[in-house]
Amino acid sequence: MKQPVRHETAPIGRNGLGNLSGVHSMRYTFSSCAFTTIDFRGFDPSTLTDLFYTFSGCSHLTAIYADATWALPSSGITGSQCFYSCSTSLVGGNGTVWASNKTAYSYLRIDTAGAQGYMTAA
């Protein structure tokens, strides 16, 4: 799934990812896109292993939605710069605002009081 939507130019939303299965790499998938929202509801993240620069440069992104049960695998994932160079417009469901020192793939989780993330349960 490398770079299938990279460099979209008009701010839009992206949904319909729930029909994908067995995805291992999302390296650069949404890099520099102009999406305002991305909806992962129905998407099974259990096979993900590579999240390198997945959302890098997504300066228009405001929300990432997922099922309340969304959870990355507990091991075997790479992608320290998953959220590199995003924007403070990106806010998780519990109010976690994107920050340049919080770009690791570990922030690709539902934002809760006990665990900061950039996703919103929907």
Side-chain angles (χ1 to χ4, degrees):
M1 185 173 199
K2 291 183 183 177
Q3 304 180 13
V5 293
R6 193 168 183 205
H7 301 297
E8 285 282 338
T9 56
I12 57 172
R14 175 64 63 193
N15 57 20
L17 299 174
N19 63 346
L20 299 176
S21 64
V23 176
H24 296 281
S25 177
M26 292 190 74
R27 180 177 285 239
Y28 293 104
T29 301
F30 300 104
S31 180
S32 299
C33 73
F35 300 142
T36 55
T37 62
I38 298 174
D39 190 342
F40 281 102
R41 285 179 287 185
F43 180 88
D44 177 8
S46 66
T47 58
L48 289 174
T49 58
D50 184 1
L51 296 171
F52 188 75
Y53 281 83
T54 301
F55 302 98
S56 67
C58 290
S59 60
H60 297 283
L61 192 59
T62 61
I64 302 171
Y65 299 103
D67 297 314
T69 56
W70 170 279
L72 291 173
S74 59
S75 64
I77 298 179
T78 61
S80 62
Q81 297 296 323
C82 185
F83 290 96
Y84 177 77
S85 193
C86 285
S87 162
T88 54
S89 297
L90 178 57
V91 180
N94 196 51
T96 298
V97 178
W98 177 87
S100 61
N101 64 338
K102 297 177 181 178
T103 61
Y105 71 83
S106 58
Y107 288 92
L108 187 58
R109 64 179 166 206
I110 302 295
D111 188 26
T112 65
Q116 291 185 335
Y118 297 134
M119 299 183 93
T120 300

